[in-house]
Amino acid sequence: MIRRLFPTITLSVLLGVLVLIVRGGLAPGDEVLAQALAGHETAILKLVSRLASFPVWTVLVLAAGGFLWLRGARRVGSVLVLADLSAEVAAFLFKALVDRPRPISGPV
């Protein structure tokens, strides 16, 4: 039983440590990364950012899940949709739990 729960316990502890690290403000390396990326935003990065946004990504995943469902791969389609929705819920909860400002975007 413990062997099966080990990955879950390990990830939970690591996530807890990460929450404690960033709770006080910017995480180590945030400013360095922001400075390194400042001014390098291109049209391709903007496109990738838009495609990875919540509304677009969710529509794409729901469409793929529906397509798989209609093609007879109902289990795979269901797992795809449930995995995406659970990841979105987890991201929302973790953002609320950490509650830190976003790194500065642009010239620092």
Side-chain angles (χ1 to χ4, degrees), residues 2 9-10 12 28 33-34 37 41 46 48 55 60 62 66 88-89 91 93 99 102:
I2 296 293
I9 293 169
T10 303
S12 297
L33 183 62
L37 295 176
E41 192 170 297
K46 288 181 182 180
V48 169
L60 290 174
L62 290 175
E88 295 295 344
V89 169
L93 292 175
D99 190 32
R102 295 183 60 97

Side-chain angles (χ1 to χ4, degrees), residues 15-34:
L15 179 64
V17 169
L18 180 63
V19 166
L20 291 175
I21 289 172
V22 299
R23 194 127 178 114
L26 296 175
D30 277 353
E31 289 183 43
V32 174
L33 183 62

Side-chain angles (χ1 to χ4, degrees), residues 27-103:
D30 277 353
E31 289 183 43
V32 174
L33 183 62
Q35 288 175 351
L37 295 176
H40 296 302
E41 192 170 297
T42 64
I44 293 173
L45 289 176
K46 288 181 182 180
L47 176 65
V48 169
S49 180
R50 285 189 189 128
L51 289 177
S53 68
F54 174 75
V56 174
W57 183 252
T58 301
V59 168
L60 290 174
V61 169
L62 290 175
F67 175 77
L68 290 168
W69 181 274
L70 293 174
R71 298 287 295 170
R74 293 188 171 158
R75 179 173 279 171
V76 174
S78 299
V79 167
L80 176 68
V81 171
L82 289 174
D84 181 63
L85 293 177
S86 64
E88 295 295 344
V89 169
F92 175 78
L93 292 175
F94 291 138
K95 285 179 184 178
L97 178 66
V98 170
D99 190 32
R100 72 179 185 127
R102 295 183 60 97

